[in-house]
Structure formats: structure tokens, C-alpha cells
Amino acid sequence: MTEHTLTVAGVTVDTRHWIGGERVASARTFTDVSPIDGAVIGEISRGTPVEAAAAVAAAKAAFPAWAATSRAERARLLHAVADGVEKRIEELAIVETTDNGALLRSHRRGVMPRVAHNFRFFADRLLTLAHEDFETRGHANHVSWDPAGPSVLITPWNAPLMLATWKVAPALAAGNTVVLKPAEWTPLTASLLADIAAEAGLPAGVLNVVQGYGSEIGDALTSHPDVRRISFTGSVPTAQRIAASAAARLTPLSLELGGKSPLLVFADADLDLAVDLAVEQYDNAGQVCLAATRILVEDSVAEEFTQRFVDKTTALRQGDPRDESTDIGPNIHPRQLEKIDGFVRRALEAGARAVVGGHRGDGQYYAPTLLTDVAQDSEIVQEEVFGPVLTLQTFADEEEAVRLANDTRFGLAATVATGDRERAERVTARLVAGTVWVNCFFVRDLRAPFGGSRHSGVGREGGTWSFDFYCDLKNTVTAPKGFEDHG
């Protein structure tokens, strides 16, 4: 270990920024702490507007050559990055688990393989990206996707590397250069990604990583005149500040924000399946934007559903996420834990009842919680908690179920459990959500559009939609006459 590196479970991580193909240190640092046990992991370079400007300048300088790089070569390099990820899955998994507290088994088996898949998918999509030419009164129309320019990508702490590469991969595939700003609570795997990208042969300045507090460098990145795209995943208040910052220069934005998603359980549903879907919402200690935190159950099966849910929840094992037998790990930060506990305490004071949980555990652990007797207009039903806290309400019929489901300012996702295919079609057609799952949860395909409605976001990413955002679309119209005949 040197002055600018630290060791996490035997893995060496550089604590400096990655700008223009070089490691750059800041005069100040911030402390990275593991949520597992509160242990200090190390001191990380704390970016300032100076480093932010340097990263954008590096991205701008690298952009012309990268934009001119052939699709085949860009795809080859993205596949090389994926190869590097796959070689280091175990290292990436243990570092990210230490940094954000999510289950190690999930990182090994699902999350880090998905990181590699993000690069491979958009590399392959790039090679097939096309729109059928068409004719207008004898004139030929040809649609193309032109690289837009330097892109600022601001990513969250709940799935740091997977959600970062969900943005990095399509931006690079599109021919844009990137400045990645990871969440300050989970900076480590972004630094490892910089190493992997460099080893894969990505040219200097194409990918830059700047660490630090959004309050200190966010505006320097989002208001910079040379930035052509901004993509952000996080909270609504932060998104509002970013949008205000970008508005002065009309910089296009993609915003994937919070959720307060419903799970509708109808009496004709397979109750075992419905209970499994409900308990699955505690994944990642409830720190999932897509989580169906509002469980809505038809009156006639509510009592049976609740009992089965309690039985299954109380059997969950909460503890060290590095243990293969653990089902729920810690919450990310003392500040987040206090926020979660505040939501629950206020709900209980307002008359809610904790059927299970409702209290802190040791350290940064919060007991899986289900609250009933909650009013539709209450804070606990309307606002995103982002922790292992669910509410349960009942409904009398389909009409009431849909009304309750849509009655928040969010619209990220929804889940429906029913044994009636026609009901599923009727209900899903009326739900306000970017993604609806029927008798399943969290099935994601990169070919599908992803994003939210209302306060859950702006825009869609995935498949061709990602290229639509990260590129300037051009239509070239060519007349049938006017060219000199050189034959």
C-alpha cells in the first residue's frame, strides 16, 4: 500500500481521480467507511471544481478522435473492457460489498456479471444500430446517430458499478467521452473500472473518473459549457438542482429518480408467489429504487397474505453480507439509517402498526419492517424511504386497487400478482409506471426501455433509446438529381 492506494480484502485500489489517462490527487480527502462494521476503509481524493474542469477538458480533447473511431473498433474496445471485468469479478465483488454492504453472493453471481454484460450488449447493439432508409417524393432519407460530445454521468451508491456502467457503456458506444462522478459513499469500484478500461486499451481521456461531494463539484460538472449530455440516477431534490444547473445551457438530461412502487395482490393470485414477490422487496436492505414498497392486497385474502408474509420475513437472516447465508445486509450510512428510522417513528406516532420489525438493529442494520393501518395521504405511503420498510393496505376491487396504486407523485415501476390474464392486461394498461411486472419482479432486459414517469424521471435508456439520448440524431435527405455524372 502506498500513499495513494489502499487494500480492500487483498485488492489494491487507487484513491486518486482518473483524468486524461493519469492518476491525479487532490489536496484534500474524504473518508470512506464500510457500512458492514463502520470500519474506515481509507481516504479518497476529494475533488474540487479544478479537477472537475480538468476532467471535462480531457474528455473534450479526446472526443474528436473517439467520435471518429469506427464502430467496429469502439465495439472491440468495449468487449475488451468486459473481458477485464470478467477476469476481476471476485475482486470487484468483494470491494463493492465492503464499500456498500450489499450481499457478496449477489455481487458474485448477478451484479458483476451484469457489469460485463452492459459493455457487451451496447458494443453489439452499436454494430446493428440502423434505421431503414425511406423515400419522400423520390428523395432518399437516411437516419444516423452522431456522437454528441463529452457526457457527465452521476451515479448512486446502491449498485455503484452496475448502474455506472449502465450509463458508461452506451455513452462510450455512442462515441461520446465520459466524466464519471461516483457517489461519495461508494467510490472504490469506479476507480477499479478506470484501471480495467486503461488495461483494455481505452484511449486517454475517453473515460475520466472524478471523486468527491456533489455539493462541491456537481455544479462545476453539470453547468460546464463543454458538456453535451448529463445522466443522473438519484433523488428528486438532487435532480432538480442538476436540471436547474443544466437549464442555462439547455444541456440534455436523462434522470432516473425515486420510486414508491406498488405491488397489487388480487384474490385470484398464487399467494405463495405473491408473498415471495413481497419479501423480495427487502433485497439490498430495501435500497432499490424499483422496490414495490406499497403492498396492496385484496380484502378477502389480506389476513392470510399477511400471516404468510410475516412467517417468511421472520425467517430472513440479517447480518454480515460477506456470509453466504445472509439475506439482508446493512444500510449504507448512519445518515441514511437515521432517515429510515425517522420515517418509521413518525408513522408509528401517527397510528401505524408494525406487524414485523419497526426498529433498528445493531450498527447500521434496520430490521425488515411491515407497517399496516397507514393512511393513503400519510408520509410513509407517499414518500420514498429507501430502506427495508414496506406498507400494507387493502382494497375492495380492481378500481380501488388501480386508484391507490397510481396515487403518488412517482411512477417508476409496479408489480401485479393475479391469476387472471385479462385482469392483468386491464390493470397494467392503467398503471402509471415505466416498468410493470406481472407475477414476477426485477426481470430486466437491456433491449427494453427503462425509466420513470412523473417524479420518477425524465427519458428512457436501454436498447436504441440509450443511443437516442447519447447521440444527436440526424436525417440526411438526398435529391435524386443534381450530382455530376462522372461515369
Side-chain angles (χ1 to χ4, degrees), residues 66 69-79 126-127 200-201 203:
W66 183 245
T69 301
S70 70
R71 287 188 177 190
E73 178 61 8
R74 291 205 302 265
R76 185 192 70 79
L77 286 167
L78 292 184
H79 275 294
L126 172 64
L127 298 179

Side-chain angles (χ1 to χ4, degrees), residues 18 86 90 111 269 271 293 325 341 454:
W18 178 253
E86 289 178 343
E90 183 63 26
V111 177
L271 275 194
T293 56
S325 66
D341 193 47
R454 297 175 175 169

Side-chain angles (χ1 to χ4, degrees), residues 200-426:
L202 206 65
V206 171
L207 172 64
N208 306 275
V209 179
V210 180
Q211 301 151 160
Y213 296 108
S215 59
E216 295 177 351
I217 61 174
D219 188 64
L221 292 171
T222 58
S223 65
H224 199 290
D226 293 328
V227 171
R228 296 290 179 262
R229 293 291 187 273
I230 300 169
S231 182
F232 168 75
T233 297
S235 70
V236 171
T238 302
Q240 291 169 328
R241 292 193 293 272
I242 291 172
S245 178
R249 302 187 184 279
L250 295 179
T251 308
L253 292 164
S254 175
L255 304 173
E256 198 267 279
L257 309 177
K260 196 69 180 176
S261 301
L263 164 57
L264 289 72
V265 179
F266 289 93
D268 57 22
D270 178 332
L271 275 194
D272 286 333
L273 171 63
V275 169
D276 286 344
L277 292 173
V279 174
E280 193 175 348
Q281 308 311 311
Y282 291 130
D283 182 49
N284 201 18
Q287 299 168 143
V288 178
C289 59
L290 293 164
T293 56
R294 295 184 297 129
I295 304 174
L296 308 175
V297 186
E298 194 163 352
D299 289 328
S300 61
V301 294
E303 184 175 350
E304 183 179 359
F305 173 91
T306 303
Q307 185 56 58
R308 293 194 197 185
F309 178 91
V310 170
D311 291 343
K312 198 168 186 70
T313 299
T314 53
L316 295 174
R317 296 190 61 175
Q318 188 168 31
D320 192 322
R322 296 165 295 192
D323 187 329
E324 281 280 323
S325 66
T326 296
D327 298 306
I328 300 179
N331 290 97
I332 185 70
H333 192 275
R335 195 160 74 215
Q336 183 67 16
L337 190 71
E338 183 60 35
K339 175 186 173 185
I340 295 165
D341 193 47
F343 270 111
V344 174
R345 283 187 285 104
R346 290 189 297 273
L348 294 174
E349 290 166 2
R353 181 169 63 93
V355 176
V356 64
H359 57 83
R360 296 178 188 238
D362 295 331
Q364 286 174 215
Y365 295 79
Y366 202 89
T369 295
L370 177 67
L371 301 177
T372 60
D373 302 333
V374 292
Q376 179 62 23
D377 62 354
S378 63
E379 177 192 54
I380 197 67
V381 170
Q382 293 293 324
E383 298 299 326
E384 185 177 46
V385 177
F386 221 62
V389 179
L390 311 179
T391 60
L392 189 147
Q393 298 166 273
T394 61
F395 60 84
D397 53 30
E398 194 174 297
E399 188 68 27
E400 185 179 20
V402 172
R403 179 179 63 78
L404 292 173
N406 287 338
D407 187 22
T408 74
R409 63 192 174 107
F410 297 103
L412 187 55
T415 304
V416 178
T418 178
D420 185 331
R421 186 178 297 274
E422 292 182 357
R423 166 175 279 153
E425 293 173 354
R426 287 195 307 270

Side-chain angles (χ1 to χ4, degrees), residues 447-465:
R447 293 172 294 181
F450 179 77
S453 304
R454 297 175 175 169
H455 281 203
S456 286
V458 175
R460 294 292 185 270
E461 294 184 75
T464 304
W465 293 273

